[in-house]
Short mmCIF file of all heavy atoms in Angstrom, two decimals:
data_model
loop_
_atom_site.label_atom_id
_atom_site.label_comp_id
_atom_site.label_asym_id
_atom_site.label_seq_id
_atom_site.Cartn_x
_atom_site.Cartn_y
_atom_site.Cartn_z
N MET A 1 -4.03 -14.00 -34.62
CA MET A 1 -3.57 -13.20 -33.48
C MET A 1 -3.54 -11.72 -33.86
O MET A 1 -3.26 -11.37 -35.00
CB MET A 1 -2.16 -13.66 -33.10
CG MET A 1 -1.80 -13.29 -31.66
SD MET A 1 -0.05 -13.64 -31.36
CE MET A 1 0.47 -12.08 -30.69
N ILE A 4 0.68 -6.65 -33.20
CA ILE A 4 1.43 -5.92 -32.19
C ILE A 4 1.88 -4.58 -32.82
O ILE A 4 2.55 -4.58 -33.86
CB ILE A 4 2.67 -6.72 -31.73
CG1 ILE A 4 2.28 -8.09 -31.15
CG2 ILE A 4 3.50 -5.91 -30.74
CD1 ILE A 4 1.61 -8.08 -29.81
N ALA A 10 13.11 -4.42 -23.31
CA ALA A 10 13.70 -3.99 -22.04
C ALA A 10 14.56 -5.10 -21.45
O ALA A 10 14.76 -5.16 -20.24
CB ALA A 10 12.61 -3.56 -21.07
N GLN A 13 17.28 -4.68 -18.55
CA GLN A 13 16.94 -3.55 -17.68
C GLN A 13 16.37 -4.05 -16.34
O GLN A 13 15.59 -4.98 -16.30
CB GLN A 13 15.88 -2.67 -18.34
CG GLN A 13 16.37 -1.93 -19.57
CD GLN A 13 17.41 -0.88 -19.22
OE1 GLN A 13 17.23 -0.11 -18.30
NE2 GLN A 13 18.51 -0.88 -19.95
N ALA A 14 16.78 -3.37 -15.26
CA ALA A 14 16.26 -3.71 -13.94
C ALA A 14 15.17 -2.73 -13.53
O ALA A 14 15.03 -1.67 -14.14
CB ALA A 14 17.39 -3.70 -12.92
N CYS A 15 14.43 -3.09 -12.49
CA CYS A 15 13.36 -2.25 -11.93
C CYS A 15 13.85 -0.84 -11.67
O CYS A 15 14.90 -0.70 -11.09
CB CYS A 15 12.86 -2.88 -10.63
SG CYS A 15 11.76 -1.85 -9.65
N PRO A 16 13.13 0.21 -12.05
CA PRO A 16 11.84 0.20 -12.73
C PRO A 16 11.97 0.38 -14.25
O PRO A 16 11.01 0.77 -14.89
CB PRO A 16 11.14 1.42 -12.12
CG PRO A 16 12.26 2.41 -11.89
CD PRO A 16 13.51 1.59 -11.65
N MET A 21 10.02 2.20 -19.55
CA MET A 21 10.11 2.11 -21.02
C MET A 21 8.73 1.82 -21.62
O MET A 21 8.34 2.40 -22.64
CB MET A 21 11.10 1.02 -21.42
CG MET A 21 12.55 1.39 -21.17
SD MET A 21 13.69 0.03 -21.50
CE MET A 21 13.70 0.00 -23.29
N ALA A 23 5.77 2.46 -20.24
CA ALA A 23 4.88 3.62 -20.05
C ALA A 23 5.17 4.71 -21.09
O ALA A 23 4.25 5.34 -21.60
CB ALA A 23 5.05 4.17 -18.64
N ARG A 24 6.46 4.90 -21.39
CA ARG A 24 6.82 5.92 -22.39
C ARG A 24 6.32 5.52 -23.77
O ARG A 24 5.77 6.35 -24.50
CB ARG A 24 8.34 6.07 -22.45
CG ARG A 24 8.87 6.81 -21.26
CD ARG A 24 10.35 6.71 -21.27
NE ARG A 24 10.99 8.01 -21.36
CZ ARG A 24 12.29 8.17 -21.48
NH1 ARG A 24 13.09 7.13 -21.57
NH2 ARG A 24 12.81 9.36 -21.51
N GLU A 28 2.95 7.15 -26.54
CA GLU A 28 2.96 7.48 -27.96
C GLU A 28 1.98 6.61 -28.75
O GLU A 28 1.79 6.81 -29.95
CB GLU A 28 4.38 7.29 -28.53
CG GLU A 28 5.37 8.30 -27.98
CD GLU A 28 6.82 7.82 -28.09
OE1 GLU A 28 7.07 6.82 -28.80
OE2 GLU A 28 7.67 8.44 -27.46
N ASP A 33 -4.24 -0.01 -28.94
CA ASP A 33 -3.01 -0.58 -29.51
C ASP A 33 -2.46 -1.68 -28.60
O ASP A 33 -2.53 -1.59 -27.38
CB ASP A 33 -1.93 0.51 -29.63
CG ASP A 33 -2.04 1.29 -30.93
OD1 ASP A 33 -2.99 1.00 -31.70
OD2 ASP A 33 -1.20 2.18 -31.17
N GLU A 36 4.05 -4.99 -27.05
CA GLU A 36 4.74 -6.16 -26.52
C GLU A 36 5.94 -5.70 -25.70
O GLU A 36 6.67 -4.82 -26.14
CB GLU A 36 5.18 -7.03 -27.70
CG GLU A 36 5.91 -8.29 -27.33
CD GLU A 36 6.44 -9.02 -28.56
OE1 GLU A 36 7.07 -8.35 -29.42
OE2 GLU A 36 6.23 -10.23 -28.65
N SER A 46 5.84 -10.00 -11.34
CA SER A 46 4.82 -9.46 -10.44
C SER A 46 4.55 -7.99 -10.74
O SER A 46 3.46 -7.48 -10.52
CB SER A 46 5.25 -9.64 -8.99
OG SER A 46 6.41 -8.89 -8.72
N GLU A 53 -2.70 -3.03 -13.33
CA GLU A 53 -3.83 -2.73 -12.43
C GLU A 53 -3.82 -1.26 -12.03
O GLU A 53 -4.86 -0.61 -12.02
CB GLU A 53 -3.73 -3.63 -11.20
CG GLU A 53 -5.01 -3.64 -10.39
CD GLU A 53 -4.83 -4.37 -9.06
OE1 GLU A 53 -4.19 -5.43 -9.04
OE2 GLU A 53 -5.34 -3.86 -8.05
N GLY A 56 -4.48 0.97 -15.27
CA GLY A 56 -5.75 0.74 -15.94
C GLY A 56 -5.61 0.22 -17.36
O GLY A 56 -6.58 0.19 -18.11
N VAL A 62 0.69 -13.07 -21.03
CA VAL A 62 1.92 -13.19 -20.24
C VAL A 62 2.57 -14.52 -20.64
O VAL A 62 1.90 -15.54 -20.64
CB VAL A 62 1.65 -13.20 -18.72
CG1 VAL A 62 2.94 -13.37 -17.94
CG2 VAL A 62 0.92 -11.94 -18.28
N THR A 64 5.91 -16.48 -19.51
CA THR A 64 7.14 -16.57 -18.73
C THR A 64 7.78 -17.95 -18.89
O THR A 64 8.61 -18.35 -18.11
CB THR A 64 6.85 -16.29 -17.23
OG1 THR A 64 5.81 -17.16 -16.80
CG2 THR A 64 6.45 -14.86 -16.99
N ASP A 67 12.98 -19.44 -21.13
CA ASP A 67 13.99 -19.34 -20.10
C ASP A 67 14.64 -17.95 -20.10
O ASP A 67 15.32 -17.58 -21.05
CB ASP A 67 15.04 -20.44 -20.31
CG ASP A 67 15.85 -20.65 -19.05
OD1 ASP A 67 15.29 -20.42 -17.96
OD2 ASP A 67 17.03 -21.04 -19.15
N VAL A 69 13.67 -14.95 -20.56
CA VAL A 69 13.05 -13.79 -21.21
C VAL A 69 11.53 -13.88 -21.05
O VAL A 69 10.91 -14.86 -21.43
CB VAL A 69 13.41 -13.70 -22.73
CG1 VAL A 69 12.74 -12.49 -23.36
CG2 VAL A 69 14.91 -13.61 -22.91
N ARG A 71 7.72 -12.33 -21.70
CA ARG A 71 7.02 -11.59 -22.73
C ARG A 71 5.64 -11.19 -22.22
O ARG A 71 4.91 -12.02 -21.67
CB ARG A 71 6.91 -12.46 -23.98
CG ARG A 71 6.27 -11.79 -25.17
CD ARG A 71 6.26 -12.75 -26.36
NE ARG A 71 5.42 -12.20 -27.40
CZ ARG A 71 4.10 -12.41 -27.48
NH1 ARG A 71 3.49 -13.16 -26.59
NH2 ARG A 71 3.40 -11.84 -28.45
#
Side-chain angles (χ1 to χ4, degrees):
Chain A
M1 202 189 129
I4 302 288
Q13 292 292 314
C15 169
M21 288 174 75
R24 286 170 119 185
E28 292 158 12
D33 274 2
E36 180 186 48
S46 63
E53 194 188 318
V62 179
T64 53
D67 198 29
V69 180
R71 183 178 169 272

